[in-house]
Amino acid sequence: MKSSERFNRFYANHFKDTQELRLRDSVLSRQSLWKYQTSGLTSRLTTIAFAFPLVKAWGSRNPKDEERKVLEETDRLFDDNQFDKLYEILRSQPSWYDNCDVLWRVARCEFHLSKRQPEKSKEAVALLEEAHRHVIKALELCHECGPAHKWAAILLNAVSTLKGSREKVEQVLNVRIHMEKAIKYSPNDPTAHYLLGEWHYSVNQVSWVERKLAGVIYGSLPEANLEIGLQILERAEEIEKDFYSKNKVLIAKTLVALNRDIERAKSLLITVIGRYKTSTKWDDIEV
C-alpha cells in the first residue's frame, strides 16, 4: 500500500463515527475523573469554589471576550502545574466538547496528568488515549489550529510508542505532518519548532529493528536531516530564548551527532544542569 493511501486510511479511521467517539469519551472521562477525585489528588470543594467564577464568566454578555479571559486563566494554571484544578475547570465549561480551544487544552492537561502515573500503567495509558481522542476531535472542529496540531503530534507519538515499534514506525510520517502544520499555523511557537527538530534527530537515531520495519512499510526510512534539525532548533531559541530546557540539550546532542563544535555542546549542557537541577517539572527532571 502506498504511503499516501496509508495516510488517508489513518485519518479516515480517526475522523469517522463522531457519535461513537463521543460516547466512548464520555465513559472514559468519567472513569478518569473519578480516579482523580477519589485518589486525593484534588479537593472537590476547593476546585468547585475556584471554578465557579470562571464558569459564571463564560456565560456573561460578551462570551468571546470572557472565553478568552477564562482560557488565559487556565493557561496560568497550566504554567503553575495545577493540572488537577485545570482539568476540572476546562471540563466545566459549557459545550467544552465542541470547543476546539478547550479540547486541545484538555488533551494537553491529560498528557501531563499521565506523567504522574507509573509509566505504561493502565491509568497512564487511559489518559494518553483519551487525550489523543480529544485532540483529534479538536482538529475535526478546526483543522487550522496550530496548538491542536502540536499536541496531535505529541500524543500520536506517545500512543503509537505504547503499541510497539511497528506502530511507532507506521505513524512516524503522520507525526511529522502534524508538526509541520503546527509551525505553519503557529509560526512563532518555539515548542512546535523544537518538536520538528527533535523528529529529525530521533529518526536519524532509530534502531536497526526500526529501520528494517521502515523498509517493509515505506521502502526506506522517512527522510530526516540533522543539519535541518539543527537549524530548526536554533530557530526555536531565536523565537524565545531559554523557552524549554530540552531544546538546549537537543542542540548539544545534534552537535555531537554531527561531530561539530563539541565545546559549545558541553557549554550548553553545563548551562542546563545549572539552571534546571532543582526543578520539579517532569521534563526538566528528564533533562
Side-chain angles (χ1 to χ4, degrees), residues 241-269:
K241 184 177 174 59
D242 299 330
F243 73 98
Y244 190 35
S245 58
K246 286 191 173 185
N247 197 65
K248 277 187 169 60
V249 171
L250 196 53
I251 290 175
K253 291 170 71 174
T254 305
L255 288 171
V256 171
L258 289 167
N259 194 27
R260 179 193 307 165
D261 208 350
I262 303 302
E263 289 304 315
R264 183 189 173 212
K266 290 179 181 178
S267 178
L268 287 169
L269 295 173

PDB file of all heavy atoms in Angstrom, residues 241-269:
ATOM      1  N   LYS A 241      14.239  32.766  23.647  1.00  0.00           N
ATOM      2  CA  LYS A 241      15.439  32.252  24.302  1.00  0.00           C
ATOM      3  C   LYS A 241      15.078  31.574  25.627  1.00  0.00           C
ATOM      4  O   LYS A 241      14.250  32.066  26.380  1.00  0.00           O
ATOM      5  CB  LYS A 241      16.418  33.406  24.556  1.00  0.00           C
ATOM      6  CG  LYS A 241      17.750  32.986  25.155  1.00  0.00           C
ATOM      7  CD  LYS A 241      18.673  34.184  25.298  1.00  0.00           C
ATOM      8  CE  LYS A 241      19.954  33.821  26.031  1.00  0.00           C
ATOM      9  NZ  LYS A 241      20.704  32.756  25.358  1.00  0.00           N
ATOM     10  N   ASP A 242      15.702  30.415  25.871  1.00  0.00           N
ATOM     11  CA  ASP A 242      15.533  29.668  27.123  1.00  0.00           C
ATOM     12  C   ASP A 242      14.079  29.255  27.376  1.00  0.00           C
ATOM     13  O   ASP A 242      13.648  29.133  28.519  1.00  0.00           O
ATOM     14  CB  ASP A 242      16.025  30.491  28.323  1.00  0.00           C
ATOM     15  CG  ASP A 242      17.494  30.842  28.220  1.00  0.00           C
ATOM     16  OD1 ASP A 242      18.246  30.057  27.619  1.00  0.00           O
ATOM     17  OD2 ASP A 242      17.892  31.907  28.734  1.00  0.00           O
ATOM     18  N   PHE A 243      13.320  28.984  26.316  1.00  0.00           N
ATOM     19  CA  PHE A 243      11.904  28.658  26.483  1.00  0.00           C
ATOM     20  C   PHE A 243      11.690  27.250  27.023  1.00  0.00           C
ATOM     21  O   PHE A 243      10.653  26.957  27.612  1.00  0.00           O
ATOM     22  CB  PHE A 243      11.154  28.815  25.150  1.00  0.00           C
ATOM     23  CG  PHE A 243      11.443  27.728  24.147  1.00  0.00           C
ATOM     24  CD1 PHE A 243      10.591  26.650  23.997  1.00  0.00           C
ATOM     25  CD2 PHE A 243      12.589  27.784  23.359  1.00  0.00           C
ATOM     26  CE1 PHE A 243      10.863  25.646  23.081  1.00  0.00           C
ATOM     27  CE2 PHE A 243      12.871  26.788  22.438  1.00  0.00           C
ATOM     28  CZ  PHE A 243      12.007  25.718  22.296  1.00  0.00           C
ATOM     29  N   TYR A 244      12.684  26.353  26.815  1.00  0.00           N
ATOM     30  CA  TYR A 244      12.473  24.947  27.160  1.00  0.00           C
ATOM     31  C   TYR A 244      13.827  24.288  27.375  1.00  0.00           C
ATOM     32  O   TYR A 244      14.720  24.376  26.526  1.00  0.00           O
ATOM     33  CB  TYR A 244      11.718  24.253  26.025  1.00  0.00           C
ATOM     34  CG  TYR A 244      11.205  22.864  26.308  1.00  0.00           C
ATOM     35  CD1 TYR A 244      10.750  22.502  27.569  1.00  0.00           C
ATOM     36  CD2 TYR A 244      11.156  21.909  25.305  1.00  0.00           C
ATOM     37  CE1 TYR A 244      10.260  21.230  27.822  1.00  0.00           C
ATOM     38  CE2 TYR A 244      10.663  20.631  25.539  1.00  0.00           C
ATOM     39  CZ  TYR A 244      10.223  20.302  26.797  1.00  0.00           C
ATOM     40  OH  TYR A 244       9.739  19.035  27.039  1.00  0.00           O
ATOM     41  N   SER A 245      13.967  23.617  28.501  1.00  0.00           N
ATOM     42  CA  SER A 245      15.253  23.011  28.843  1.00  0.00           C
ATOM     43  C   SER A 245      15.705  21.981  27.811  1.00  0.00           C
ATOM     44  O   SER A 245      16.893  21.853  27.502  1.00  0.00           O
ATOM     45  CB  SER A 245      15.160  22.359  30.226  1.00  0.00           C
ATOM     46  OG  SER A 245      14.129  21.381  30.259  1.00  0.00           O
ATOM     47  N   LYS A 246      14.764  21.226  27.257  1.00  0.00           N
ATOM     48  CA  LYS A 246      15.125  20.148  26.331  1.00  0.00           C
ATOM     49  C   LYS A 246      15.684  20.669  25.014  1.00  0.00           C
ATOM     50  O   LYS A 246      16.413  19.954  24.318  1.00  0.00           O
ATOM     51  CB  LYS A 246      13.913  19.257  26.059  1.00  0.00           C
ATOM     52  CG  LYS A 246      13.553  18.336  27.220  1.00  0.00           C
ATOM     53  CD  LYS A 246      12.530  17.300  26.795  1.00  0.00           C
ATOM     54  CE  LYS A 246      12.308  16.276  27.902  1.00  0.00           C
ATOM     55  NZ  LYS A 246      11.401  15.193  27.479  1.00  0.00           N
ATOM     56  N   ASN A 247      15.349  21.903  24.646  1.00  0.00           N
ATOM     57  CA  ASN A 247      15.826  22.421  23.367  1.00  0.00           C
ATOM     58  C   ASN A 247      17.349  22.562  23.361  1.00  0.00           C
ATOM     59  O   ASN A 247      18.015  22.177  22.403  1.00  0.00           O
ATOM     60  CB  ASN A 247      15.167  23.763  23.053  1.00  0.00           C
ATOM     61  CG  ASN A 247      15.289  24.138  21.581  1.00  0.00           C
ATOM     62  OD1 ASN A 247      14.733  23.465  20.712  1.00  0.00           O
ATOM     63  ND2 ASN A 247      16.032  25.195  21.291  1.00  0.00           N
ATOM     64  N   LYS A 248      17.892  23.107  24.440  1.00  0.00           N
ATOM     65  CA  LYS A 248      19.348  23.247  24.522  1.00  0.00           C
ATOM     66  C   LYS A 248      20.041  21.884  24.547  1.00  0.00           C
ATOM     67  O   LYS A 248      21.101  21.700  23.935  1.00  0.00           O
ATOM     68  CB  LYS A 248      19.728  24.058  25.765  1.00  0.00           C
ATOM     69  CG  LYS A 248      19.644  25.569  25.585  1.00  0.00           C
ATOM     70  CD  LYS A 248      20.202  26.283  26.799  1.00  0.00           C
ATOM     71  CE  LYS A 248      20.379  27.769  26.534  1.00  0.00           C
ATOM     72  NZ  LYS A 248      19.122  28.443  26.196  1.00  0.00           N
ATOM     73  N   VAL A 249      19.470  20.943  25.272  1.00  0.00           N
ATOM     74  CA  VAL A 249      20.041  19.603  25.313  1.00  0.00           C
ATOM     75  C   VAL A 249      20.047  18.982  23.917  1.00  0.00           C
ATOM     76  O   VAL A 249      21.029  18.348  23.503  1.00  0.00           O
ATOM     77  CB  VAL A 249      19.266  18.707  26.294  1.00  0.00           C
ATOM     78  CG1 VAL A 249      19.707  17.252  26.178  1.00  0.00           C
ATOM     79  CG2 VAL A 249      19.459  19.195  27.722  1.00  0.00           C
ATOM     80  N   LEU A 250      18.968  19.181  23.180  1.00  0.00           N
ATOM     81  CA  LEU A 250      18.883  18.577  21.850  1.00  0.00           C
ATOM     82  C   LEU A 250      19.842  19.259  20.874  1.00  0.00           C
ATOM     83  O   LEU A 250      20.396  18.600  19.984  1.00  0.00           O
ATOM     84  CB  LEU A 250      17.447  18.643  21.334  1.00  0.00           C
ATOM     85  CG  LEU A 250      17.126  17.719  20.153  1.00  0.00           C
ATOM     86  CD1 LEU A 250      17.511  16.276  20.466  1.00  0.00           C
ATOM     87  CD2 LEU A 250      15.655  17.804  19.789  1.00  0.00           C
ATOM     88  N   ILE A 251      20.040  20.564  21.017  1.00  0.00           N
ATOM     89  CA  ILE A 251      21.056  21.232  20.196  1.00  0.00           C
ATOM     90  C   ILE A 251      22.416  20.600  20.465  1.00  0.00           C
ATOM     91  O   ILE A 251      23.179  20.293  19.538  1.00  0.00           O
ATOM     92  CB  ILE A 251      21.087  22.744  20.487  1.00  0.00           C
ATOM     93  CG1 ILE A 251      19.816  23.422  19.947  1.00  0.00           C
ATOM     94  CG2 ILE A 251      22.325  23.392  19.852  1.00  0.00           C
ATOM     95  CD1 ILE A 251      19.706  24.893  20.296  1.00  0.00           C
ATOM     96  N   ALA A 252      22.737  20.388  21.748  1.00  0.00           N
ATOM     97  CA  ALA A 252      24.019  19.782  22.117  1.00  0.00           C
ATOM     98  C   ALA A 252      24.142  18.376  21.534  1.00  0.00           C
ATOM     99  O   ALA A 252      25.189  18.002  20.977  1.00  0.00           O
ATOM    100  CB  ALA A 252      24.157  19.747  23.636  1.00  0.00           C
ATOM    101  N   LYS A 253      23.087  17.570  21.650  1.00  0.00           N
ATOM    102  CA  LYS A 253      23.131  16.194  21.143  1.00  0.00           C
ATOM    103  C   LYS A 253      23.284  16.171  19.624  1.00  0.00           C
ATOM    104  O   LYS A 253      23.979  15.304  19.067  1.00  0.00           O
ATOM    105  CB  LYS A 253      21.852  15.451  21.564  1.00  0.00           C
ATOM    106  CG  LYS A 253      21.782  15.183  23.061  1.00  0.00           C
ATOM    107  CD  LYS A 253      20.419  14.681  23.488  1.00  0.00           C
ATOM    108  CE  LYS A 253      20.156  13.280  23.016  1.00  0.00           C
ATOM    109  NZ  LYS A 253      18.881  12.762  23.566  1.00  0.00           N
ATOM    110  N   THR A 254      22.637  17.113  18.939  1.00  0.00           N
ATOM    111  CA  THR A 254      22.752  17.184  17.487  1.00  0.00           C
ATOM    112  C   THR A 254      24.162  17.583  17.072  1.00  0.00           C
ATOM    113  O   THR A 254      24.720  17.028  16.104  1.00  0.00           O
ATOM    114  CB  THR A 254      21.717  18.171  16.912  1.00  0.00           C
ATOM    115  OG1 THR A 254      20.401  17.808  17.341  1.00  0.00           O
ATOM    116  CG2 THR A 254      21.753  18.172  15.390  1.00  0.00           C
ATOM    117  N   LEU A 255      24.762  18.527  17.798  1.00  0.00           N
ATOM    118  CA  LEU A 255      26.140  18.913  17.515  1.00  0.00           C
ATOM    119  C   LEU A 255      27.092  17.730  17.692  1.00  0.00           C
ATOM    120  O   LEU A 255      28.001  17.514  16.886  1.00  0.00           O
ATOM    121  CB  LEU A 255      26.563  20.070  18.429  1.00  0.00           C
ATOM    122  CG  LEU A 255      25.943  21.435  18.129  1.00  0.00           C
ATOM    123  CD1 LEU A 255      26.277  22.428  19.234  1.00  0.00           C
ATOM    124  CD2 LEU A 255      26.410  21.974  16.773  1.00  0.00           C
ATOM    125  N   VAL A 256      26.871  16.941  18.743  1.00  0.00           N
ATOM    126  CA  VAL A 256      27.702  15.752  18.975  1.00  0.00           C
ATOM    127  C   VAL A 256      27.513  14.749  17.835  1.00  0.00           C
ATOM    128  O   VAL A 256      28.489  14.165  17.333  1.00  0.00           O
ATOM    129  CB  VAL A 256      27.358  15.110  20.330  1.00  0.00           C
ATOM    130  CG1 VAL A 256      28.050  13.755  20.469  1.00  0.00           C
ATOM    131  CG2 VAL A 256      27.754  16.036  21.471  1.00  0.00           C
ATOM    132  N   ALA A 257      26.255  14.545  17.414  1.00  0.00           N
ATOM    133  CA  ALA A 257      25.984  13.602  16.322  1.00  0.00           C
ATOM    134  C   ALA A 257      26.648  14.059  15.022  1.00  0.00           C
ATOM    135  O   ALA A 257      27.069  13.224  14.206  1.00  0.00           O
ATOM    136  CB  ALA A 257      24.477  13.452  16.120  1.00  0.00           C
ATOM    137  N   LEU A 258      26.749  15.364  14.840  1.00  0.00           N
ATOM    138  CA  LEU A 258      27.403  15.920  13.650  1.00  0.00           C
ATOM    139  C   LEU A 258      28.921  16.033  13.825  1.00  0.00           C
ATOM    140  O   LEU A 258      29.620  16.419  12.883  1.00  0.00           O
ATOM    141  CB  LEU A 258      26.832  17.313  13.337  1.00  0.00           C
ATOM    142  CG  LEU A 258      25.393  17.364  12.803  1.00  0.00           C
ATOM    143  CD1 LEU A 258      24.857  18.783  12.841  1.00  0.00           C
ATOM    144  CD2 LEU A 258      25.335  16.802  11.375  1.00  0.00           C
ATOM    145  N   ASN A 259      29.388  15.730  15.070  1.00  0.00           N
ATOM    146  CA  ASN A 259      30.815  15.859  15.402  1.00  0.00           C
ATOM    147  C   ASN A 259      31.307  17.279  15.119  1.00  0.00           C
ATOM    148  O   ASN A 259      32.359  17.481  14.492  1.00  0.00           O
ATOM    149  CB  ASN A 259      31.660  14.836  14.632  1.00  0.00           C
ATOM    150  CG  ASN A 259      33.062  14.710  15.207  1.00  0.00           C
ATOM    151  OD1 ASN A 259      33.275  14.959  16.391  1.00  0.00           O
ATOM    152  ND2 ASN A 259      34.009  14.333  14.369  1.00  0.00           N
ATOM    153  N   ARG A 260      30.542  18.244  15.629  1.00  0.00           N
ATOM    154  CA  ARG A 260      30.837  19.643  15.356  1.00  0.00           C
ATOM    155  C   ARG A 260      30.695  20.477  16.634  1.00  0.00           C
ATOM    156  O   ARG A 260      29.766  20.267  17.411  1.00  0.00           O
ATOM    157  CB  ARG A 260      29.854  20.181  14.302  1.00  0.00           C
ATOM    158  CG  ARG A 260      30.062  21.653  13.962  1.00  0.00           C
ATOM    159  CD  ARG A 260      28.889  22.202  13.173  1.00  0.00           C
ATOM    160  NE  ARG A 260      28.608  21.382  12.004  1.00  0.00           N
ATOM    161  CZ  ARG A 260      27.474  21.455  11.311  1.00  0.00           C
ATOM    162  NH1 ARG A 260      26.512  22.285  11.690  1.00  0.00           N
ATOM    163  NH2 ARG A 260      27.293  20.683  10.264  1.00  0.00           N
ATOM    164  N   ASP A 261      31.602  21.407  16.834  1.00  0.00           N
ATOM    165  CA  ASP A 261      31.508  22.381  17.914  1.00  0.00           C
ATOM    166  C   ASP A 261      31.224  21.705  19.257  1.00  0.00           C
ATOM    167  O   ASP A 261      30.276  22.060  19.972  1.00  0.00           O
ATOM    168  CB  ASP A 261      30.414  23.405  17.574  1.00  0.00           C
ATOM    169  CG  ASP A 261      30.673  24.757  18.218  1.00  0.00           C
ATOM    170  OD1 ASP A 261      31.584  24.828  19.069  1.00  0.00           O
ATOM    171  OD2 ASP A 261      29.960  25.719  17.889  1.00  0.00           O
ATOM    172  N   ILE A 262      32.038  20.733  19.600  1.00  0.00           N
ATOM    173  CA  ILE A 262      31.818  19.947  20.813  1.00  0.00           C
ATOM    174  C   ILE A 262      31.925  20.809  22.074  1.00  0.00           C
ATOM    175  O   ILE A 262      31.195  20.581  23.052  1.00  0.00           O
ATOM    176  CB  ILE A 262      32.816  18.773  20.880  1.00  0.00           C
ATOM    177  CG1 ILE A 262      32.685  17.888  19.625  1.00  0.00           C
ATOM    178  CG2 ILE A 262      32.574  17.937  22.145  1.00  0.00           C
ATOM    179  CD1 ILE A 262      31.305  17.312  19.407  1.00  0.00           C
ATOM    180  N   GLU A 263      32.795  21.813  22.058  1.00  0.00           N
ATOM    181  CA  GLU A 263      32.928  22.689  23.225  1.00  0.00           C
ATOM    182  C   GLU A 263      31.641  23.463  23.477  1.00  0.00           C
ATOM    183  O   GLU A 263      31.238  23.664  24.622  1.00  0.00           O
ATOM    184  CB  GLU A 263      34.105  23.647  23.047  1.00  0.00           C
ATOM    185  CG  GLU A 263      35.467  22.985  23.140  1.00  0.00           C
ATOM    186  CD  GLU A 263      35.645  22.227  24.448  1.00  0.00           C
ATOM    187  OE1 GLU A 263      35.285  22.790  25.516  1.00  0.00           O
ATOM    188  OE2 GLU A 263      36.128  21.069  24.407  1.00  0.00           O
ATOM    189  N   ARG A 264      30.984  23.889  22.420  1.00  0.00           N
ATOM    190  CA  ARG A 264      29.694  24.570  22.591  1.00  0.00           C
ATOM    191  C   ARG A 264      28.659  23.609  23.156  1.00  0.00           C
ATOM    192  O   ARG A 264      27.846  23.987  24.013  1.00  0.00           O
ATOM    193  CB  ARG A 264      29.203  25.133  21.258  1.00  0.00           C
ATOM    194  CG  ARG A 264      27.903  25.920  21.421  1.00  0.00           C
ATOM    195  CD  ARG A 264      27.271  26.310  20.116  1.00  0.00           C
ATOM    196  NE  ARG A 264      25.965  26.916  20.342  1.00  0.00           N
ATOM    197  CZ  ARG A 264      24.935  26.823  19.502  1.00  0.00           C
ATOM    198  NH1 ARG A 264      25.058  26.153  18.366  1.00  0.00           N
ATOM    199  NH2 ARG A 264      23.779  27.393  19.787  1.00  0.00           N
ATOM    200  N   ALA A 265      28.676  22.365  22.678  1.00  0.00           N
ATOM    201  CA  ALA A 265      27.739  21.360  23.186  1.00  0.00           C
ATOM    202  C   ALA A 265      27.938  21.170  24.689  1.00  0.00           C
ATOM    203  O   ALA A 265      26.967  21.132  25.459  1.00  0.00           O
ATOM    204  CB  ALA A 265      27.931  20.036  22.450  1.00  0.00           C
ATOM    205  N   LYS A 266      29.192  21.064  25.127  1.00  0.00           N
ATOM    206  CA  LYS A 266      29.476  20.925  26.552  1.00  0.00           C
ATOM    207  C   LYS A 266      28.960  22.127  27.335  1.00  0.00           C
ATOM    208  O   LYS A 266      28.371  21.981  28.412  1.00  0.00           O
ATOM    209  CB  LYS A 266      30.976  20.771  26.774  1.00  0.00           C
ATOM    210  CG  LYS A 266      31.555  19.457  26.296  1.00  0.00           C
ATOM    211  CD  LYS A 266      33.063  19.423  26.552  1.00  0.00           C
ATOM    212  CE  LYS A 266      33.687  18.130  26.069  1.00  0.00           C
ATOM    213  NZ  LYS A 266      35.161  18.129  26.290  1.00  0.00           N
ATOM    214  N   SER A 267      29.203  23.321  26.799  1.00  0.00           N
ATOM    215  CA  SER A 267      28.766  24.545  27.475  1.00  0.00           C
ATOM    216  C   SER A 267      27.250  24.582  27.636  1.00  0.00           C
ATOM    217  O   SER A 267      26.727  24.978  28.695  1.00  0.00           O
ATOM    218  CB  SER A 267      29.250  25.760  26.684  1.00  0.00           C
ATOM    219  OG  SER A 267      28.799  26.967  27.279  1.00  0.00           O
ATOM    220  N   LEU A 268      26.529  24.164  26.593  1.00  0.00           N
ATOM    221  CA  LEU A 268      25.066  24.127  26.659  1.00  0.00           C
ATOM    222  C   LEU A 268      24.591  23.179  27.752  1.00  0.00           C
ATOM    223  O   LEU A 268      23.670  23.497  28.516  1.00  0.00           O
ATOM    224  CB  LEU A 268      24.485  23.712  25.308  1.00  0.00           C
ATOM    225  CG  LEU A 268      24.530  24.751  24.179  1.00  0.00           C
ATOM    226  CD1 LEU A 268      24.181  24.103  22.853  1.00  0.00           C
ATOM    227  CD2 LEU A 268      23.594  25.912  24.476  1.00  0.00           C
ATOM    228  N   LEU A 269      25.208  22.014  27.833  1.00  0.00           N
ATOM    229  CA  LEU A 269      24.806  21.020  28.827  1.00  0.00           C
ATOM    230  C   LEU A 269      25.096  21.500  30.244  1.00  0.00           C
ATOM    231  O   LEU A 269      24.285  21.300  31.159  1.00  0.00           O
ATOM    232  CB  LEU A 269      25.505  19.691  28.552  1.00  0.00           C
ATOM    233  CG  LEU A 269      25.125  19.017  27.229  1.00  0.00           C
ATOM    234  CD1 LEU A 269      25.996  17.802  26.978  1.00  0.00           C
ATOM    235  CD2 LEU A 269      23.646  18.637  27.213  1.00  0.00           C
TER     236      LEU A 269
END
